[in-house]
């Protein structure tokens, strides 16, 4: 299958989602009298295709590959690391996100949880990054490494602007906040290196709607924080 300009996703995949999204938008126009918005339709096609392509399983291997050990990596002195994650009980359904800042020695600096409400997984991931960046800007953190295990969010934040994306406003907000931090890096990591943020995101579902900042490590994630601090790694094929 030949690649398309959309992150090299095969045209056959993009075409399938184009037909599906256009059919849904046509039904909304006919039966719910919602105006047909071509820009929003294009954005939905791109989003669905990227989300599907990024979640595709790896092809089976005929040889057994040795496991890698993945864990939270320490960072240079005078830097802070922001780990973020989103959590959705269905897609779309009730969503939450969470994240935390740690210093170069792995100590908790500040964290957050956010019960977002009804949305999809990608939006929850972007909200998590935006929430963390807002904290960094408000606290005047000068040097921040941002880590997310969502490849789609990473590509959207580090790639060229796309005004047709349904979450373009959220993406642009994140990029604007990144530009307010004197030194900043954005990285895509594996989920085994993002265990604490994942636990915080899931905790957010059970909290009241809205944003909560955490200056003390919650007991529910204290063990995971300690594991990262002492360098525990997890096997990954």
């Amino acid at each position: 299958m030949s690649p398309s300009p959309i992150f090299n996703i095969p045209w056959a995949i993009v075409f399938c989602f184009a037909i599906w999204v256009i059919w849904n938008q046509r039904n909304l126009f006919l039966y719910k009298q919602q105006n047909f918005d071509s820009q929003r339709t294009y954005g939905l096609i791109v989003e669905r295709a990227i989300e599907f392509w990024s979640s595709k399983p790896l092809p089976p291997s005929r040889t057994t590959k040795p496991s890698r050990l993945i864990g939270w990596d320490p960072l240079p002195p005078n830097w802070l690391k922001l780990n973020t994650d989103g959590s959705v009980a269905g897609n779309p359904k009730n969503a939450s996100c969470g994240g935390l800042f740690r210093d170069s020695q792995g100590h908790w600096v500040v964290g957050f949880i956010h019960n977002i409400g009804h949305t999809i997984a990608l939006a929850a991931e972007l909200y998590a990054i935006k929430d963390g960046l807002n904290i960094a800007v408000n606290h005047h953190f000068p040097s921040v490494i941002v880590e997310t295990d969502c490849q789609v969010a990473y590509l959207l934040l580090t790639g060229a602007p796309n005004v047709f994306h349904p979450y373009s406003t959220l993406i642009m907000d994140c990029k604007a906040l990144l530009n307010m931090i004197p030194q900043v890096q954005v990285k895509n990591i594996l989920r085994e290196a993002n265990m604490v943020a994942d636990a915080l995101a899931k905790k957010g579902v059970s909290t009241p709607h809205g944003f909560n900042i955490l200056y003390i490590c919650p007991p529910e994630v204290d063990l995971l924080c300690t594991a990262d601090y002492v360098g525990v790694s997890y096997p990954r094929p």
Side-chain angles (χ1 to χ4, degrees):
M1 292 186 288
S2 60
S4 72
I6 305 172
F7 297 115
N8 291 321
I9 301 172
W11 274 118
I13 301 296
V14 177
F15 178 77
C16 289
F17 281 99
I19 296 298
W20 178 61
V21 170
I22 292 171
W23 175 259
N24 283 336
Q25 295 300 304
R26 173 256 189 196
N27 289 340
L28 290 174
F29 175 75
L30 289 178
Y31 303 117
K32 294 190 176 181
Q33 288 73 54
Q34 291 189 14
N35 291 331
F36 184 86
D37 186 331
S38 59
Q39 292 186 351
R40 182 174 184 276
T41 300
Y42 172 79
L44 286 171
I45 293 168
V46 172
E47 178 189 337
R48 297 293 189 268
I50 292 174
E51 191 166 13
F52 172 82
W53 190 246
S54 299
S55 63
K56 69 184 188 303
L58 294 173
S61 174
R62 295 185 179 181
T63 60
T64 302
K65 295 183 178 179
S67 295
R68 295 173 291 165
L69 292 177
I70 306 297
W72 185 83
D73 290 328
L75 56 160
N78 303 319
W79 281 73
L80 296 178
K81 180 179 287 189
L82 167 63
N83 287 93
T84 67
D85 204 2
S87 178
V88 178
N91 199 22
K93 227 168 187 182
N94 290 334
S96 58
C97 65
L100 72 156
F101 289 84
R102 282 175 282 192
D103 62 21
S104 57
Q105 296 181 334
H107 297 141
W108 179 284
V109 176
V110 60
F112 65 92
I113 51 178
H114 185 178
N115 190 330
I116 302 166
H118 196 83
T119 191
I120 68 170
L122 177 59
E125 297 282 357
L126 291 169
Y127 271 113
I129 296 169
K130 180 183 176 181
D131 287 343
L133 293 174
N134 267 320
I135 291 176
V137 171
N138 292 334
H139 286 70
H140 305 288
F141 294 153
S143 305
V144 178
I145 296 173
V146 183
E147 292 187 340
T148 173
D149 61 14
C150 177
Q151 186 182 37
V152 177
Y154 168 77
L155 292 172
L156 290 171
L157 293 183
T158 57
N162 178 5
V163 296
F164 301 117
H165 195 280
Y167 296 109
S168 60
T169 301
L170 190 53
I171 295 164
M172 287 189 290
D173 286 346
C174 290
K175 289 190 173 187
L177 289 165
L178 285 167
N179 289 330
M180 295 180 191
I181 302 172
Q183 294 186 92
V184 66
Q185 300 175 20
V186 182
K187 297 182 178 181
N188 181 216
I189 58 171
L190 298 172
R191 67 174 65 92
E192 289 84 356
N194 210 35
M195 303 286 277
V196 181
D198 175 72
L200 288 170
K202 291 175 179 175
K203 174 179 169 62
V205 177
S206 60
T207 62
H209 280 270
F211 179 80
N212 298 275
I213 196 162
L214 308 168
Y215 288 104
I216 299 175
C217 177
E220 299 93 327
V221 300
D222 184 61
L223 189 59
L224 289 172
C225 284
T226 302
D228 284 350
Y229 176 76
V230 300
V232 172
S233 298
Y234 306 90
R236 182 183 178 91

